[in-house]
Every structure is written in C-alpha cells, then in structure tokens.
Amino acid sequence: MVYQGSAGRHGRAWGTNNNVKKYQIALLSIAALGTLGWAVDTAISTTFEHRLSTQLEDSFNLEIEPAVYIGGFPYLLAATTGDIPMMSSEVLDVDVPGFGMMNSRTELRTIEVTPEQVFSGDYTGADVEIAKRTLRLDGVALGAQLGITDLDITNPKDISPQASPQAQAQLKGTPVGFDQPVVVLVDLRIHDAEITMRPVSIVDSPDMEQAQDPESVRTKIMNSFTWSVDSRDLPLLKQASQVVCGGGSIFISSELRQVQFRPELLSPVGVR
C-alpha cells in the first residue's frame, strides 16, 4: 500500500474544491446570461406591444388603450422559426353606436414574419392564417337591449367557468311590468347575417303562476326575452359565424382566414 502524506491529501482536496467552484461559477454565468436574455427579449416584445397599442388608440380614437399581447417565448425565436404563434388585442367597454357597451377581443393565429419584421416590430403585410374577433355581452349589455336592468346570464347545462360554450342560455331578470324575476331558456342562432335569441321555455315565473290570464303573461314573457340584431352592424371582422353562451356572457364572433396583417385587424372597431 502506498502511503499518501497530508500534503497529497490536501492537494487533492484543494483540486476538488477548485473544480466545484469553477462549476458553480459556470452555472451562475449561464443563469446570468439566461436572465439577461430573458430581460432583453421581454423588453423588446413589450416595446412592440405598447407601440401597437398606442397606434390603435390614436388611429381609431379609442377612449381606452387596448391591451395588446404578442405570443411566443422567446419572442426573438420568431426570427428563426419564421412565425409568431399568436397576437391579441382586448378592449373593455367599447361603445358601439346604436348598441351600447360591449367587450371586444381579437386574436391572430400564426403570423408569418421575416427576421426584419421581428426586429422592427412592423408586421404590415405579413400573412395571417386566422383572424378572429369576439364581442362579449354580459348581463348589463344584453339587459340594456332588452330593457331588463337586473338580467343574469348562465350556461343552462353547467355554470362552472370551465363549462363548454352552449348555443342556449338561461336568462333571469324582471321585465318591465313584472313584479318578480322570470327565468327562461333561450336559443341562440344565426340566420344569414342576423343573430337571433328566442325563448324556447319558461323555467320559472311567479307572475304567470299567479295570473288570472297566464297565457297573456306568457306572451309578454316570450316577447320580453326575444331579441335580434344584424351582425353586419356590429364591429366584427365580417358577419357573425358563431354565437354562444359561456361564463355568464353571450359571445358573438367572426373569422377571416389567410389575410395580410394590418393594424386595424387588432382594432375593436376596424375592418369590414
């Protein structure tokens, strides 16, 4: 057996400790570079989001600056992949003439970009696979259309936030001339360009149950919860292609496919 003195043992320990320190320094350097890269990438995408938001606000005289989001992380990876997976713009309480307040969200899917567009933030002319705009009407917005100030909207099959959207809605509210709230089930449909909402059943109505002429009250209820609108009068990308109930609201949406990017695609009131 070869005996190693204390100097040999200490030398080996020193070498081991030195290697550990080098390894730790390397890890810290990599982490620092990663953090710096993340910060730079985030700063670039945030700058372009703010620029688009300001441009939309100024160009379309919006009262509220839209919340613009450019998807994909890291953002600069798009210079290599050639596409930005998603871009969106959302505005709350858009005032639609003749209609009132509603919320608007526009999503663009798969935007094909050049490296120059990635680094400049100017995506004009880029090919967009799908552009979808959705208008959301909550109980206040739809209630204003019906003249019912306490309107509540629920999914008739599942009231949880994760429930699948339905082509029906359950409405609860007190129509003009009624003493107590009425609950009805309505169908949501699109006929050509017209969006229609028509009651299919009355779930609950104390007024009708207590009335001397229940059929007359029934007719008033059916009329009170019947509504229609020409979707071409709404700030959609084109006439509506879908109307559903989900999460306590009515969603009306339209889509464009294979279009070229222009800022008005992200505006809550642009493109027709």
Side-chain angles (χ1 to χ4, degrees), residues 42-52 70:
T42 301
I44 292 173
S45 61
T46 301
T47 297
F48 294 158
E49 289 168 350
H50 179 67
R51 182 195 299 174
L52 265 174
I70 300 175

Side-chain angles (χ1 to χ4, degrees), residues 17-57:
N17 291 337
N18 194 38
N19 289 336
V20 170
K21 289 180 179 179
K22 288 181 179 179
Y23 182 67
Q24 291 174 337
I25 291 172
L27 287 178
L28 290 173
S29 298
I30 293 172
L33 288 174
T35 301
L36 178 61
W38 173 83
V40 171
D41 187 87
T42 301
I44 292 173
S45 61
T46 301
T47 297
F48 294 158
E49 289 168 350
H50 179 67
R51 182 195 299 174
L52 265 174
S53 180
T54 302
Q55 182 180 359
L56 293 172
E57 182 183 19

Side-chain angles (χ1 to χ4, degrees), residues 138-210:
D138 59 15
V140 174
L142 183 59
Q145 296 298 303
L146 300 176
I148 299 175
T149 58
D150 61 345
L151 187 70
D152 181 62
I153 305 171
T154 57
N155 186 315
K157 296 184 178 180
D158 187 350
I159 63 173
S160 68
Q162 295 79 23
S164 299
Q166 300 292 325
Q168 287 188 325
Q170 182 169 287
L171 307 182
K172 179 180 181 180
T174 310
V176 175
F178 282 70
D179 295 323
Q180 300 182 65
V182 176
V183 180
V184 300
L185 182 68
V186 298
D187 274 343
L188 304 170
R189 297 287 185 267
I190 299 175
H191 301 283
D192 294 326
E194 186 179 40
I195 299 168
T196 63
M197 183 182 77
R198 303 190 188 285
V200 292
S201 66
I202 299 173
V203 179
D204 183 45
S205 174
D207 287 71
M208 187 173 72
E209 294 172 0
Q210 300 165 10

Side-chain angles (χ1 to χ4, degrees), residues 8-9 15 37-41 61 83-84 105 107 120 124 136 142 148 179 185 211 260 262 267 272:
R9 291 195 301 272
W38 173 83
V40 171
D41 187 87
N61 298 315
D83 69 73
I84 296 173
R105 177 179 174 83
E107 286 190 9
S120 69
T124 302
R136 180 170 73 87
L142 183 59
I148 299 175
D179 295 323
L185 182 68
Q260 290 190 323
R262 51 196 194 277
S267 166
R272 170 52 66 182

Side-chain angles (χ1 to χ4, degrees), residues 48-68 88-94 133 262-270:
F48 294 158
E49 289 168 350
H50 179 67
R51 182 195 299 174
L52 265 174
S53 180
T54 302
Q55 182 180 359
L56 293 172
E57 182 183 19
D58 295 340
S59 299
F60 295 94
N61 298 315
L62 303 177
E63 295 183 3
I64 301 175
E65 185 176 293
V68 175
S88 68
S89 172
E90 186 166 4
V91 182
L92 303 180
D93 295 332
V94 179
R133 179 171 299 156
R262 51 196 194 277
E264 53 263 39
L265 277 177
L266 290 173
S267 166
V269 294

Side-chain angles (χ1 to χ4, degrees), residues 247-259:
S249 297
I250 303 298
F251 295 88
I252 303 170
S253 60
S254 65
E255 284 188 3
L256 293 175
R257 292 179 176 268
Q258 304 301 329
V259 296

